[in-house]
RNA sequence: GGAGGGAUGGCCGAGUGGACGAAGGCAACGGUCUUGAAAACCGUAGUGGGCUUACGCCCACCGGGGGUUCGAAUCCCUCUCCCUCCGCCA
């Protein structure tokens, strides 16, 4: 959520920024018009309320019955007028709030301009694309051959975009989660185990609602929304709180499954485990002072990169251009890992500074150390990492000519010492 | 699921129709004292919004929503959450 004052005081700044995002700027004028109408009604209503308050106090002190009755009659009239004004006011406020809630965050000035993902900028590549002396298999062939992935039975249980991991596959998933959480803990993050279903207000606070309703699952009878990312509960857990400045920064990490309807990606990435309706992710999240958030972004990026480096995978760091930024983000780096079997770079992490965008929506503030008004902290989120694509990269990069897969060294303690995944009985 | 009790400022806690934005305490900030600190004492101080060049004025907020009233933290309805007891259950 952007500050309404930004629209009033610097509408052109907002328009320019929205254009860079390839977003319509018509909302700016609509918002300004609603804001003006709202304030006009507010002033009328408040003037009447001031009168009512003043006269009501007089009534309490008025002894003369006639005068008293006369004042009561007059205030009855005023009450009606206030009710009518407030009704109109509520309507304008609801419209304004709804519009404001659909405006994306403004890009950081440092973000390169571009129309869409084709204009993202590859900042660097770490590691070489491995040259294999045999034809590497894609994971959707490798997994079933090893007996560690079962697509048919996933579909039988739940339909398309669901799968079963089995034996060493299931162990590998669990090992990756546990290892990543331990790594982030060493990097200074506090581990959180949040609810996987949250209230609508929480999904609004992190910015997934109202715009991305179609991508979310929710209970038809109760106010439960399945989290599409741990970012949602990690934002919501401090909703309506005021930190002391000394409480910041806060570093959190959490594993959650993520549930997404993927309506927007119909037909894309249907093979294998790349894009499911349910997937696991380990997330990093930081609350920090505004002037520290860019440093925090660099730390988080480095922390995410470390997971790929320790797994021995080749990856590249991509800076998203203005046209490809997510709704809440001011600046985002993606990490893409090379998958030799699929023959593509897979997005396994997105590390973003959202500034005060989520804090404002969630009403999360901190009190400055020297006293003074509470202010909005900045929040950052980053995957560390998305599990299915990390698993794809591990399997495809560590596959051997005989069809087995070597377990990366850092994961072996988490897999009971297993060094190689070999074909298992179906 | 049934019965009862609760929800008040950053935190704790008083307040049952009119001078209550709300006693008192803790924490915070400024000052006195002290070599410095602590203690003690004095003082400041809620959050959001509107108007104003400004001093400042006004509105709203006592879990959420609605109602009664000239006037609601206080009365009524409703929802949510917490606590106690009973029942059921991984």
């Amino acid at each position: 959520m952007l500050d309404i004052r930004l629209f009033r005081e610097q509408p052109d700044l907002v328009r320019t920024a929205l254009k860079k995002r390839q977003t319509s700027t018509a909302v700016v004028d609509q918002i300004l018009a609603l804001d003006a109408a709202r304030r006009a009604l507010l002033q009328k209503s408040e003037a009447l309320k001031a009168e009512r308050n003043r006269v009501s106090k007089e009534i309490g002190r008025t002894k003369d019955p006639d005068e008293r009755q006369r004042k009561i009659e007059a205030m009855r009239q005023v009450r009606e007028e206030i009710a009518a004004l407030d009704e109109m006011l509520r309507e304008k406020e609801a419209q304004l709030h709804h519009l404001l809630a659909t405006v994306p965050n403004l890009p950081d000035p440092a973000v390169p301009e571009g129309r869409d993902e084709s204009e993202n900028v590859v900042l660097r590549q770490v590691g070489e694309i491995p040259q294999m002396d045999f034809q590497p298999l894609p994971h959707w062939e490798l997994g079933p051959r090893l007996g560690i992935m079962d697509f048919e039975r996933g579909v039988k249980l739940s339909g398309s975009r669901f799968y079963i991991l089995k034996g060493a596959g299931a162990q590998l998933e669990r090992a990756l989660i546990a290892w990543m959480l331990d790594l982030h803990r060493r990097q200074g993050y506090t581990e959180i185990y949040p609810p996987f279903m949250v209230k609508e207000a929480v999904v609004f606070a992190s910015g997934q609602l109202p715009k991305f309703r179609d991508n979310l699952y929710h209970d038809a009878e109760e106010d439960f929304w399945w989290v599409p990312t741990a970012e949602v509960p990690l934002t919501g857990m401090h909703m309506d709180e005021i930190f002391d400045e000394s409480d910041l920064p806060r570093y959190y990490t959490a594993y959650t499954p993520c549930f997404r309807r993927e309506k927007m990606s119909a037909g894309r990435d249907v093979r294998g485990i790349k894009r499911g309706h349910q997937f696991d992710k380990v997330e990093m999240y930081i609350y920090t002072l505004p002037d520290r958030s860019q440093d925090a972004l660099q730390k988080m990026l480095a922390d995410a990169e470390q997971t790929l480096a320790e797994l021995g995978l080749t990856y590249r760091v991509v800076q998203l251009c203005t046209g490809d930024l997510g709704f809440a983000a001011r600046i985002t780096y993606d990490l893409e890992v090379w998958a030799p079997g699929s023959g593509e770079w897979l997005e396994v992490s997105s590390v973003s500074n959202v500034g005060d965008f989520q804090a404002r929506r969630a009403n999360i503030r901190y009190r400055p150390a020297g006293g003074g008004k509470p202010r909005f902290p900045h929040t950052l989120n980053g995957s560390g990492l998305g599990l299915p694509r990390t698993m794809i990269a591990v399997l495809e990069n560590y596959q051997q000519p005989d069809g087995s897969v070597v377990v990366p060294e850092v994961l072996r303690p988490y897999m009971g010492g297993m060094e190689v995944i070999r074909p298992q009985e179906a």
Side-chain angles (χ1 to χ4, degrees), chain A residues 121-137:
Chain A
V121 179
V122 177
L123 294 183
R124 59 181 180 273
Q125 178 177 323
V126 179
E128 297 298 319
I129 291 187
Q131 297 304 312
M132 303 170 105
D133 50 14
F134 62 97
Q135 182 60 44
L137 295 175

Side-chain angles (χ1 to χ4, degrees), chain A residues 269-344:
Chain A
D269 308 322
V270 287
R271 296 198 87 173
I273 65 172
K274 182 176 168 189
R275 189 185 294 274
H277 286 311
Q278 168 191 322
F279 67 93
D280 288 329
K281 182 156 58 67
V282 171
E283 184 81 358
M284 296 176 283
Y285 199 95
I286 300 179
Y287 293 82
T288 187
L289 297 176
D291 62 355
R292 308 270 169 81
S293 68
Q294 285 304 73
D295 290 343
L297 181 66
Q298 294 307 317
K299 170 184 166 50
M300 189 178 269
L301 177 61
D303 292 340
E305 285 190 61
Q306 195 179 345
T307 56
L308 292 169
E310 292 200 10
L311 286 171
L313 298 171
T314 294
Y315 67 91
R316 59 186 196 180
V317 181
V318 177
Q319 169 144 42
L320 299 196
C321 70
T322 51
D324 198 32
L325 281 179
F327 179 72
R330 302 193 60 206
I331 176 168
T332 298
Y333 300 105
D334 275 3
L335 294 183
E336 298 182 341
V337 67
W338 177 250
S342 312
E344 62 175 340

Side-chain angles (χ1 to χ4, degrees), chain A residues 127-285:
Chain A
E128 297 298 319
I129 291 187
Q131 297 304 312
M132 303 170 105
D133 50 14
F134 62 97
Q135 182 60 44
L137 295 175
H139 75 280
W140 59 81
E141 288 181 23
L142 197 52
R145 283 194 199 191
L146 284 167
I148 62 173
M149 285 179 192
D150 185 340
F151 298 113
E152 289 76 11
R153 291 200 176 93
V155 170
K156 174 159 76 179
L157 284 172
S158 308
S160 69
R161 292 196 192 279
F162 287 94
Y163 53 87
I164 284 172
L165 298 178
K166 194 176 103 183
Q171 279 178 268
L172 181 59
E173 179 87 359
R174 183 161 52 88
L176 281 165
I177 292 167
W179 169 73
M180 285 177 192
L181 286 171
D182 283 345
L183 174 61
H184 297 320
R185 189 160 41 76
R186 289 195 297 275
Q187 289 166 336
Y189 299 80
T190 301
E191 186 175 343
I192 300 289
Y193 176 84
F196 300 160
M197 297 186 287
V198 297
K199 302 179 199 180
E200 181 171 349
V202 174
V203 192
F204 177 86
S206 55
Q208 274 77 14
L209 281 177
K211 260 205 145 166
F212 304 105
R213 191 172 223 282
D214 288 350
N215 201 33
L216 299 171
Y217 291 104
H218 67 102
D219 187 275
E221 294 174 353
E222 293 187 78
D223 186 18
F224 287 128
W225 295 70
W226 272 244
V227 300
T229 160
E231 179 192 336
V232 173
L234 291 177
T235 305
M237 64 187 274
H238 288 300
M239 249 166 62
D240 298 318
E241 291 183 26
I242 300 177
F243 289 109
D244 283 332
E245 181 172 327
S246 59
D247 293 332
L248 300 175
R250 289 285 180 103
Y251 298 89
Y252 294 122
T253 185
Y255 151 75
T256 68
C258 304
F259 302 97
R260 300 184 184 179
R261 295 177 69 187
E262 299 294 351
K263 286 281 184 211
M264 277 126 34
S265 332
R268 288 176 59 194
D269 308 322
V270 287
R271 296 198 87 173
I273 65 172
K274 182 176 168 189
R275 189 185 294 274
H277 286 311
Q278 168 191 322
F279 67 93
D280 288 329
K281 182 156 58 67
V282 171
E283 184 81 358
M284 296 176 283
Y285 199 95

